[in-house]
Amino acid sequence: MKWFRRHRPGTMRKSDNPDQAHLREFAQTRQGVEGFVEPRTAVTEYTLLLVAIDGEWTRRRVPSVEWAHKFANNLGIPSYDAAVVGYPPRMREYNARQKRNGTT
């Protein structure tokens, strides 16, 4: 019977060209950008978090940890493993400013 079939969970969305274009545009149009490579989870593939000097940030899926570090190196920005170094305080400060100003 159709009702007793097991539900198959969906597959995780992979990184695609729009994700990569967004990361490139963010890195090239902000100052002091650093990259934080986030590990794969049960919900998402690897992600690259880019944080500008003022704390503005963006996150997109990437194909692999190696790809993320190479991407950052090619753009001349430092990259770190987020699970090792954590996140910069300026990112939390930026989020707090956005919340205070009602722009989130």
Side-chain angles (χ1 to χ4, degrees):
M1 287 178 82
K2 185 176 177 181
W3 296 331
F4 297 111
R5 289 187 193 152
R6 293 187 104 176
H7 178 272
R8 297 177 196 219
T11 58
M12 291 187 269
R13 188 176 76 80
K14 303 281 187 192
S15 169
D16 55 17
N17 287 336
D19 290 334
Q20 295 168 19
H22 174 80
L23 290 169
R24 183 179 286 21
E25 186 272 334
F26 184 91
Q28 292 175 338
T29 59
R30 290 1 180 241
Q31 291 186 342
V33 176
E34 294 179 308
F36 297 85
V37 182
E38 299 174 311
R40 188 175 166 180
T41 69
V43 181
T44 60
E45 289 291 330
Y46 301 104
T47 54
L48 178 59
L49 173 75
L50 297 180
V51 183
I53 199 164
D54 66 350
E56 182 182 4
W57 59 275
T58 191
R59 173 187 287 122
R60 292 293 186 273
R61 290 174 178 88
V62 293
S64 68
V65 171
E66 297 79 16
W67 185 95
H69 287 294
K70 184 176 178 183
F71 175 84
N73 289 339
N74 287 341
L75 291 176
I77 61 175
S79 60
Y80 312 98
D81 290 321
V84 175
V85 300
Y87 299 103
R90 68 182 183 274
M91 182 179 155
R92 283 185 285 283
E93 293 162 0
Y94 176 84
N95 289 342
R97 282 192 312 273
Q98 296 300 306
K99 189 174 184 178
R100 265 193 318 271
N101 296 336
T103 55
T104 57

